[in-house]
């Protein structure tokens, strides 16, 4: 499976307030690259309760690049034409669209899918499907609400789901397209 797992952290409830991004690229079953950066949000303010969640402060992002600086030089080339996945993808795609709109940047027609929706289909017996809960269930130790760690854990959930849903397929989680997993879960790819 080829995809890029993505995760944003925000400074406040406004969706254009991205303050960190994590990206992890998989080609087949191999993690081939990762990218993490703090982002200076459009308004240099981070709600204290958000800092309690992700640990990012105004001092951390004061000298960080803004999203415009990151977009063309790092984020867009990293993604290329691969589909995106996130856990609760609606949040991350809304952040991406909002920050692109804020800076009046063109919104690419990225395909994307949701590891949360997949987890709900694959493990309906679980009491919840939060990324932290899934990490505990599968013995994945990671720093929750660190954008790069969340993206990596999201990717691990996708491979775990593929292993379960496609186990009768040769090299199920490795040599099949993402669409095979989505078909098995009766889900579809969406477009930004």
């Amino acid at each position: 499976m080829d995809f890029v797992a993505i995760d944003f952290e925000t400074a406040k409830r406004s969706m254009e307030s991205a303050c960190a991004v994590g990206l992890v690229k998989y080609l087949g079953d191999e993690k081939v690259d990762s990218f993490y950066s703090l982002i200076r949000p459009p308004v240099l303010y981070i709600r204290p309760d958000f800092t309690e969640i992700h640990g990012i402060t105004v001092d951390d992002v004061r000298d960080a690049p803004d999203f415009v600086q990151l977009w063309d030089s790092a984020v867009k080339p990293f993604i290329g034409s691969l589909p995106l996945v996130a856990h609760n993808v609606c949040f991350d795609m809304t952040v991406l669209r909002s920050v692109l709109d804020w800076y009046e940047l063109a919104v690419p027609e990225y395909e994307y899918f949701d590891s949360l929706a997949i987890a709900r289909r694959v493990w309906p017996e679980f009491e919840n499907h939060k990324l932290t809960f899934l990490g505990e269930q599968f013995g994945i130790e990671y720093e929750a609400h660190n954008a790069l760690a969340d993206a990596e854990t999201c990717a691990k959930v996708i491979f775990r789901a593929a292993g379960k849903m496609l186990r009768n397929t040769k090299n199920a989680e490795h040599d099949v397209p993402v669409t095979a997993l989505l078909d098995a879960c009766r889900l579809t790819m969406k477009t930004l």
Side-chain angles (χ1 to χ4, degrees):
M1 288 192 291
D2 300 346
F3 61 83
V4 172
I6 186 170
D7 186 77
F8 283 103
E9 299 299 329
T10 57
K12 54 186 181 174
R13 295 199 191 286
S14 301
M15 298 305 251
E16 78 284 348
S17 70
C19 61
V21 63
L23 301 160
V24 183
K25 185 182 296 186
Y26 276 83
L27 298 177
D29 65 342
E30 186 178 339
K31 175 181 165 183
V32 296
D33 204 358
S34 64
F35 175 80
Y36 174 82
S37 182
L38 292 171
I39 303 168
R40 188 176 63 247
V43 175
L44 191 58
Y45 170 76
I46 298 179
R47 284 177 51 143
D49 55 330
F50 280 44
T51 294
E52 288 177 18
I53 293 168
H54 52 53
I56 300 169
T57 67
V58 168
D59 287 340
D60 293 330
V61 298
R62 186 177 314 280
D63 296 323
D66 65 21
F67 194 78
V68 173
Q69 293 169 298
L70 288 174
W71 179 242
D72 283 327
S73 66
V75 175
K76 191 175 176 183
F78 188 97
I79 297 168
S81 61
L82 293 173
L84 296 169
V85 62
H87 203 74
N88 189 17
V89 77
C90 181
F91 172 81
D92 294 283
M93 293 304 100
T94 302
V95 171
L96 179 56
R97 179 178 279 284
S98 296
V99 77
L100 289 168
D101 287 347
W102 178 272
Y103 289 108
E104 299 179 352
L105 298 169
V107 178
E109 292 188 4
Y110 289 136
E111 290 188 312
Y112 66 89
F113 61 105
D114 191 355
S115 63
L116 175 59
I118 289 171
R120 287 177 173 154
R121 295 284 173 96
V122 176
W123 301 285
E125 70 278 9
F126 285 177
E127 63 191 61
N128 77 61
H129 298 88
K130 293 178 183 176
L131 197 56
T132 51
F133 178 83
L134 295 172
E136 288 173 15
Q137 294 301 303
F138 303 136
I140 302 168
E141 293 184 27
Y142 77 104
E143 182 184 348
H145 303 294
N146 170 290
L148 185 58
D150 283 349
E152 179 67 43
T153 302
C154 168
K156 289 177 180 178
V157 167
I158 291 301
F159 283 108
R160 179 75 59 134
K164 181 175 180 186
M165 294 303 287
L166 304 173
R167 66 176 141 228
N168 295 328
T169 306
K170 182 183 176 201
N171 295 322
E173 68 271 23
H174 308 301
D175 295 335
V176 296
V178 166
T179 52
L181 174 59
L182 293 172
D183 289 347
C185 293
R186 287 183 244 132
L187 296 168
T188 58
M189 194 81 74
K190 297 186 179 180
T191 304
L192 187 63

